[in-house]
């Protein structure tokens, strides 16, 4: 099966600074890598995703990079705001669309 | 448009009981997946259904079962509950459940087994 590792487990940044969360995966057949933001009472929201034929994708303050050779991908949040505080999960999937999730990163943005 | 809905939102059961959790996918989505999220961990895949057929199953005991109805809604059943079944159960829907397809998650059902 697939094994996804996520680091760090907790991250605190000052408002306006950047935050980076890293994930590694084990199965080279994985081809889709979404990131979810989970807030209490709000469920899990897809914030960005990337497919294996792309090395980088950006959406306003959020970007994701993928290194297929090294089997790792990262979430970058720039100009962080207090409302970015949440738990973030990375995931990897392949044929069949079963998602394998990391263990989550609790991000706190300090005003 | 309504997103993925799940019911109930919270549930308390005792060991040995059974539980049924329900999920309604986004309108037009034909695939539903179930995940278990234990406190402090990421979601773990339990089942995927597409067009009422089981398409995938994670590493969970036979006490866990599910089904999908003609309207694409789904139920997750857990028999002989154990304390370790206490978790947030998430339902996700996607259009066809194909590889690389985005899944949209519901708010979850929080199950506590005493």
């Amino acid at each position: 099966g697939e094994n996804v590792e996520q680091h760090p487990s907790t991250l605190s940044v000052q408002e306006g600074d950047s935050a980076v969360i890293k994930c590694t995966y084990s199965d080279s057949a994985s081809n889709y890598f979404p990131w979810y933001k989970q807030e209490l009472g709000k469920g899990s929201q897809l914030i960005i995703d990337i497919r294996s034929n792309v090395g980088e994708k950006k959406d306003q303050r959020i970007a994701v990079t993928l290194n297929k050779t090294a089997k790792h991908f990262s979430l970058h949040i720039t100009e962080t705001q207090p409302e970015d505080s949440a738990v973030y999960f990375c995931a990897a999937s392949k044929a069949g669309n079963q998602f394998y999730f990391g263990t989550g990163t609790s991000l706190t943005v300090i005003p | 448009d309504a997103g993925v809905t799940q019911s109930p939102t919270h549930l308390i059961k005792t060991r040995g009981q059974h539980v049924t959790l329900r999920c309604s996918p986004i309108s037009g989505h034909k695939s539903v997946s179930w995940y278990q999220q234990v406190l402090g961990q990421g979601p773990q895949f339990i089942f995927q259904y597409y067009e009422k057929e089981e398409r995938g199953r994670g590493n969970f005991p036979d006490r866990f079962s599910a089904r999908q109805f003609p309207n694409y809604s789904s139920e997750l059943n857990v028999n002989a509950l154990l304390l370790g079944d206490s978790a947030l159960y998430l339902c996700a829907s996607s259009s066809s459940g194909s590889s690389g397809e985005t899944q949209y998650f519901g708010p979850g059902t929080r199950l506590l087994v005493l």
Side-chain angles (χ1 to χ4, degrees):
Chain A
E2 171 67 282
N3 181 45
V4 178
E5 295 189 356
Q6 183 172 346
H7 300 280
S9 56
T10 61
L11 179 60
S12 292
V13 299
Q14 290 291 138
E15 182 177 357
D17 287 350
S18 296
V20 180
I21 303 171
K22 300 181 179 180
C23 289
T24 61
Y25 61 100
S26 61
D27 192 338
S28 57
S30 290
N31 56 14
Y32 176 63
F33 307 91
W35 286 88
Y36 287 87
K37 176 182 182 182
Q38 193 174 67
E39 297 177 275
L40 204 60
K42 293 186 179 181
S44 302
Q45 175 192 0
L46 175 74
I47 56 171
I48 198 166
D49 57 11
I50 192 167
R51 289 174 171 76
S52 58
N53 59 347
V54 176
E56 183 174 0
K57 183 177 179 180
K58 189 173 182 180
D59 182 6
Q60 299 183 347
R61 298 186 296 109
I62 296 173
V64 56
T65 59
L66 172 65
N67 184 326
K68 285 170 50 181
T69 302
K71 295 204 280 286
H72 68 69
F73 56 113
S74 299
L75 177 70
H76 304 253
I77 305 174
T78 59
E79 301 172 19
T80 54
Q81 302 167 2
E83 51 265 38
D84 294 329
S85 296
V87 180
Y88 292 81
F89 289 95
C90 64
S93 77
K94 50 185 178 178
N97 213 35
Q98 171 181 340
F99 283 15
Y100 296 87
F101 283 87
T103 50
T105 296
S106 178
L107 172 65
T108 301
V109 180
I110 304 166
Chain B
D1 285 342
V4 177
T5 59
Q6 293 186 243
S7 63
T9 55
H10 296 81
L11 204 51
I12 300 175
K13 292 286 188 179
T14 56
R15 282 177 297 175
Q17 288 188 312
H18 71 272
V19 67
T20 298
L21 311 181
R22 296 178 174 82
C23 170
S24 292
I26 291 171
S27 178
H29 284 191
K30 299 181 178 180
S31 179
V32 169
S33 296
W34 287 95
Y35 291 81
Q36 180 197 64
Q37 185 177 7
V38 174
L39 195 63
Q41 299 294 317
Q44 297 289 317
F45 173 75
I46 309 175
F47 287 109
Q48 184 191 35
Y49 275 78
Y50 174 69
E51 291 278 17
K52 298 177 290 181
E53 297 290 327
E54 181 183 305
R55 183 177 270 186
R57 184 185 183 115
N59 188 24
F60 280 81
D62 291 343
R63 298 185 295 108
F64 289 76
S65 63
R67 55 179 176 169
Q68 187 177 31
F69 299 98
N71 66 354
Y72 304 111
S73 66
S74 177
E75 283 183 354
L76 175 69
N77 294 283
V78 186
N79 292 324
L81 285 167
L82 303 174
L83 297 180
D85 295 330
S86 296
L88 178 67
Y89 289 84
L90 297 167
C91 172
S93 79
S94 62
S95 181
S96 65
S98 301
S99 175
E101 193 171 66
T102 299
Q103 292 186 27
Y104 298 88
F105 283 81
T109 293
R110 191 165 295 280
L111 172 65
L112 177 61
V113 182
L114 301 175

Tab-separated table of all heavy atoms in Angstrom, chain A residues 42-45, chain B residues 1-7 22-29 31-32 71-74 91-94 103-108:
chain	number	residue	atom	x	y	z
A	42	LYS	N	-16.377	22.656	10.644
A	42	LYS	CA	-16.499	23.063	9.238
A	42	LYS	C	-16.128	21.961	8.268
A	42	LYS	O	-16.195	22.142	7.064
A	42	LYS	CB	-15.619	24.285	8.968
A	42	LYS	CG	-16.061	25.549	9.669
A	42	LYS	CD	-15.212	26.729	9.219
A	42	LYS	CE	-15.653	28.017	9.889
A	42	LYS	NZ	-14.842	29.178	9.431
A	43	GLY	N	-15.698	20.847	8.753
A	43	GLY	CA	-15.346	19.762	7.849
A	43	GLY	C	-14.012	19.986	7.179
A	43	GLY	O	-13.226	20.843	7.565
A	44	SER	N	-13.768	19.220	6.140
A	44	SER	CA	-12.488	19.254	5.435
A	44	SER	C	-12.682	19.902	4.076
A	44	SER	O	-13.489	19.456	3.273
A	44	SER	CB	-11.956	17.831	5.263
A	44	SER	OG	-11.819	17.201	6.511
A	45	GLN	N	-11.913	20.946	3.842
A	45	GLN	CA	-12.032	21.711	2.600
A	45	GLN	C	-10.800	21.504	1.735
A	45	GLN	O	-9.669	21.688	2.202
A	45	GLN	CB	-12.195	23.193	2.937
A	45	GLN	CG	-12.215	24.117	1.737
A	45	GLN	CD	-12.085	25.578	2.140
A	45	GLN	OE1	-11.973	25.895	3.324
A	45	GLN	NE2	-12.093	26.464	1.174
B	1	ASP	N	-25.661	25.236	-3.977
B	1	ASP	CA	-25.836	23.775	-3.996
B	1	ASP	C	-25.362	23.196	-2.666
B	1	ASP	O	-24.353	23.631	-2.117
B	1	ASP	CB	-25.019	23.162	-5.114
B	1	ASP	CG	-25.660	23.402	-6.474
B	1	ASP	OD1	-26.854	23.714	-6.502
B	1	ASP	OD2	-24.960	23.276	-7.482
B	2	ALA	N	-26.068	22.181	-2.185
B	2	ALA	CA	-25.666	21.555	-0.944
B	2	ALA	C	-24.423	20.728	-1.179
B	2	ALA	O	-24.236	20.115	-2.226
B	2	ALA	CB	-26.798	20.675	-0.432
B	3	GLY	N	-23.569	20.713	-0.160
B	3	GLY	CA	-22.391	19.861	-0.230
B	3	GLY	C	-22.751	18.474	0.245
B	3	GLY	O	-23.915	18.086	0.296
B	4	VAL	N	-21.744	17.740	0.643
B	4	VAL	CA	-21.955	16.404	1.186
B	4	VAL	C	-22.563	16.558	2.580
B	4	VAL	O	-22.058	17.341	3.391
B	4	VAL	CB	-20.625	15.633	1.281
B	4	VAL	CG1	-20.843	14.264	1.908
B	4	VAL	CG2	-19.988	15.512	-0.103
B	5	THR	N	-23.639	15.826	2.827
B	5	THR	CA	-24.266	15.891	4.143
B	5	THR	C	-24.171	14.537	4.823
B	5	THR	O	-24.217	13.485	4.164
B	5	THR	CB	-25.740	16.330	4.053
B	5	THR	OG1	-26.450	15.410	3.232
B	5	THR	CG2	-25.848	17.727	3.450
B	6	GLN	N	-24.037	14.580	6.130
B	6	GLN	CA	-23.930	13.356	6.922
B	6	GLN	C	-24.842	13.461	8.144
B	6	GLN	O	-25.036	14.540	8.690
B	6	GLN	CB	-22.496	13.126	7.392
B	6	GLN	CG	-21.521	12.821	6.274
B	6	GLN	CD	-20.140	12.468	6.802
B	6	GLN	OE1	-19.161	13.162	6.540
B	6	GLN	NE2	-20.064	11.373	7.551
B	7	SER	N	-25.370	12.302	8.539
B	7	SER	CA	-26.184	12.273	9.760
B	7	SER	C	-25.956	10.961	10.496
B	7	SER	O	-25.669	9.934	9.868
B	7	SER	CB	-27.666	12.434	9.405
B	7	SER	OG	-28.111	11.355	8.600
B	22	ARG	N	-25.105	7.775	7.939
B	22	ARG	CA	-25.671	8.068	6.629
B	22	ARG	C	-24.975	9.225	5.941
B	22	ARG	O	-24.486	10.151	6.606
B	22	ARG	CB	-27.168	8.345	6.759
B	22	ARG	CG	-27.962	7.141	7.257
B	22	ARG	CD	-29.425	7.420	7.441
B	22	ARG	NE	-30.149	6.197	7.786
B	22	ARG	CZ	-30.219	5.685	9.021
B	22	ARG	NH1	-29.621	6.303	10.031
B	22	ARG	NH2	-30.874	4.568	9.246
B	23	CYS	N	-24.971	9.151	4.631
B	23	CYS	CA	-24.285	10.154	3.826
B	23	CYS	C	-25.058	10.424	2.545
B	23	CYS	O	-25.494	9.476	1.868
B	23	CYS	CB	-22.878	9.649	3.487
B	23	CYS	SG	-21.988	10.640	2.272
B	24	SER	N	-25.194	11.693	2.222
B	24	SER	CA	-25.780	12.080	0.935
B	24	SER	C	-24.729	12.834	0.140
B	24	SER	O	-24.221	13.859	0.611
B	24	SER	CB	-27.016	12.955	1.138
B	24	SER	OG	-28.071	12.221	1.704
B	25	PRO	N	-24.394	12.358	-1.048
B	25	PRO	CA	-23.337	12.998	-1.829
B	25	PRO	C	-23.831	14.284	-2.484
B	25	PRO	O	-25.030	14.591	-2.472
B	25	PRO	CB	-23.011	11.950	-2.883
B	25	PRO	CG	-24.310	11.222	-3.090
B	25	PRO	CD	-24.967	11.192	-1.733
B	26	ILE	N	-22.886	15.002	-3.028
B	26	ILE	CA	-23.219	16.180	-3.820
B	26	ILE	C	-24.084	15.741	-5.009
B	26	ILE	O	-23.829	14.672	-5.599
B	26	ILE	CB	-21.934	16.876	-4.296
B	26	ILE	CG1	-21.207	17.496	-3.099
B	26	ILE	CG2	-22.217	17.920	-5.366
B	26	ILE	CD1	-19.827	18.031	-3.421
B	27	SER	N	-25.067	16.542	-5.332
B	27	SER	CA	-25.948	16.195	-6.444
B	27	SER	C	-25.144	15.958	-7.720
B	27	SER	O	-24.300	16.773	-8.102
B	27	SER	CB	-26.937	17.346	-6.665
B	27	SER	OG	-27.784	17.072	-7.770
B	28	GLY	N	-25.412	14.819	-8.351
B	28	GLY	CA	-24.695	14.466	-9.577
B	28	GLY	C	-23.492	13.576	-9.356
B	28	GLY	O	-22.967	12.993	-10.308
B	29	HIS	N	-23.036	13.477	-8.119
B	29	HIS	CA	-21.910	12.582	-7.805
B	29	HIS	C	-22.415	11.157	-7.617
B	29	HIS	O	-23.412	10.933	-6.934
B	29	HIS	CB	-21.187	13.055	-6.545
B	29	HIS	CG	-20.314	14.241	-6.772
B	29	HIS	ND1	-19.410	14.686	-5.829
B	29	HIS	CD2	-20.187	15.074	-7.832
B	29	HIS	CE1	-18.769	15.732	-6.314
B	29	HIS	NE2	-19.228	15.992	-7.528
B	31	SER	N	-20.137	8.518	-6.783
B	31	SER	CA	-19.208	7.744	-5.971
B	31	SER	C	-19.153	8.295	-4.560
B	31	SER	O	-19.091	9.513	-4.345
B	31	SER	CB	-17.813	7.776	-6.593
B	31	SER	OG	-16.908	7.040	-5.801
B	32	VAL	N	-19.169	7.381	-3.593
B	32	VAL	CA	-19.079	7.749	-2.183
B	32	VAL	C	-17.974	6.917	-1.535
B	32	VAL	O	-17.886	5.700	-1.772
B	32	VAL	CB	-20.418	7.498	-1.456
B	32	VAL	CG1	-20.228	7.618	0.044
B	32	VAL	CG2	-21.475	8.481	-1.932
B	71	ASN	N	-30.229	6.274	-5.225
B	71	ASN	CA	-30.078	7.741	-5.301
B	71	ASN	C	-28.657	8.179	-4.946
B	71	ASN	O	-28.399	9.365	-4.782
B	71	ASN	CB	-31.086	8.434	-4.387
B	71	ASN	CG	-30.836	8.147	-2.909
B	71	ASN	OD1	-29.974	7.332	-2.544
B	71	ASN	ND2	-31.584	8.818	-2.052
B	72	TYR	N	-27.758	7.207	-4.824
B	72	TYR	CA	-26.324	7.398	-4.571
B	72	TYR	C	-25.991	7.754	-3.123
B	72	TYR	O	-24.807	7.888	-2.802
B	72	TYR	CB	-25.696	8.423	-5.530
B	72	TYR	CG	-25.920	8.052	-6.966
B	72	TYR	CD1	-26.766	8.810	-7.775
B	72	TYR	CD2	-25.319	6.923	-7.506
B	72	TYR	CE1	-27.001	8.447	-9.096
B	72	TYR	CE2	-25.549	6.550	-8.829
B	72	TYR	CZ	-26.397	7.313	-9.614
B	72	TYR	OH	-26.634	6.953	-10.907
B	73	SER	N	-26.985	7.874	-2.264
B	73	SER	CA	-26.685	8.035	-0.852
B	73	SER	C	-26.100	6.730	-0.332
B	73	SER	O	-26.187	5.685	-0.990
B	73	SER	CB	-27.931	8.432	-0.060
B	73	SER	OG	-28.874	7.361	-0.069
B	74	SER	N	-25.522	6.796	0.853
B	74	SER	CA	-24.810	5.616	1.351
B	74	SER	C	-24.982	5.481	2.855
B	74	SER	O	-25.247	6.460	3.562
B	74	SER	CB	-23.323	5.725	1.000
B	74	SER	OG	-22.583	4.644	1.522
B	91	CYS	N	-17.484	11.043	5.193
B	91	CYS	CA	-17.968	10.588	3.900
B	91	CYS	C	-17.470	11.580	2.855
B	91	CYS	O	-17.431	12.795	3.099
B	91	CYS	CB	-19.492	10.550	3.912
B	91	CYS	SG	-20.253	10.235	2.319
B	92	ALA	N	-17.051	11.070	1.726
B	92	ALA	CA	-16.594	11.929	0.639
B	92	ALA	C	-17.269	11.506	-0.655
B	92	ALA	O	-17.475	10.314	-0.882
B	92	ALA	CB	-15.080	11.841	0.486
B	93	SER	N	-17.608	12.465	-1.466
B	93	SER	CA	-18.212	12.110	-2.750
B	93	SER	C	-17.373	12.665	-3.896
B	93	SER	O	-16.644	13.647	-3.760
B	93	SER	CB	-19.654	12.619	-2.850
B	93	SER	OG	-19.729	13.997	-3.160
B	94	SER	N	-17.460	11.978	-5.006
B	94	SER	CA	-16.817	12.427	-6.234
B	94	SER	C	-17.696	12.030	-7.398
B	94	SER	O	-18.592	11.201	-7.263
B	94	SER	CB	-15.401	11.851	-6.373
B	94	SER	OG	-15.446	10.448	-6.434
B	103	GLN	N	-12.165	14.604	-4.301
B	103	GLN	CA	-13.207	14.143	-3.401
B	103	GLN	C	-13.606	15.292	-2.484
B	103	GLN	O	-12.749	16.020	-1.980
B	103	GLN	CB	-12.720	12.961	-2.558
B	103	GLN	CG	-12.481	11.700	-3.364
B	103	GLN	CD	-12.148	10.502	-2.499
B	103	GLN	OE1	-12.549	10.426	-1.346
B	103	GLN	NE2	-11.421	9.557	-3.063
B	104	TYR	N	-14.894	15.424	-2.251
B	104	TYR	CA	-15.423	16.471	-1.396
B	104	TYR	C	-15.983	15.829	-0.135
B	104	TYR	O	-16.799	14.914	-0.201
B	104	TYR	CB	-16.517	17.253	-2.129
B	104	TYR	CG	-15.996	17.955	-3.364
B	104	TYR	CD1	-15.967	17.302	-4.598
B	104	TYR	CD2	-15.488	19.248	-3.291
B	104	TYR	CE1	-15.461	17.926	-5.727
B	104	TYR	CE2	-14.983	19.877	-4.422
B	104	TYR	CZ	-14.974	19.207	-5.629
B	104	TYR	OH	-14.460	19.826	-6.741
B	105	PHE	N	-15.511	16.342	0.993
B	105	PHE	CA	-15.843	15.708	2.260
B	105	PHE	C	-17.021	16.377	2.954
B	105	PHE	O	-17.208	17.598	2.875
B	105	PHE	CB	-14.627	15.738	3.199
B	105	PHE	CG	-13.588	14.720	2.856
B	105	PHE	CD1	-12.674	14.941	1.850
B	105	PHE	CD2	-13.548	13.508	3.537
B	105	PHE	CE1	-11.718	13.982	1.518
B	105	PHE	CE2	-12.603	12.551	3.222
B	105	PHE	CZ	-11.685	12.786	2.206
B	106	GLY	N	-17.787	15.550	3.662
B	106	GLY	CA	-18.822	16.043	4.534
B	106	GLY	C	-18.231	16.427	5.885
B	106	GLY	O	-17.041	16.231	6.128
B	107	PRO	N	-19.074	16.963	6.780
B	107	PRO	CA	-18.587	17.411	8.091
B	107	PRO	C	-18.284	16.275	9.056
B	107	PRO	O	-17.611	16.486	10.069
B	107	PRO	CB	-19.741	18.264	8.608
B	107	PRO	CG	-20.945	17.703	7.925
B	107	PRO	CD	-20.491	17.262	6.567
B	108	GLY	N	-18.768	15.074	8.729
B	108	GLY	CA	-18.455	13.927	9.563
B	108	GLY	C	-19.489	13.625	10.626
B	108	GLY	O	-20.317	14.466	10.983
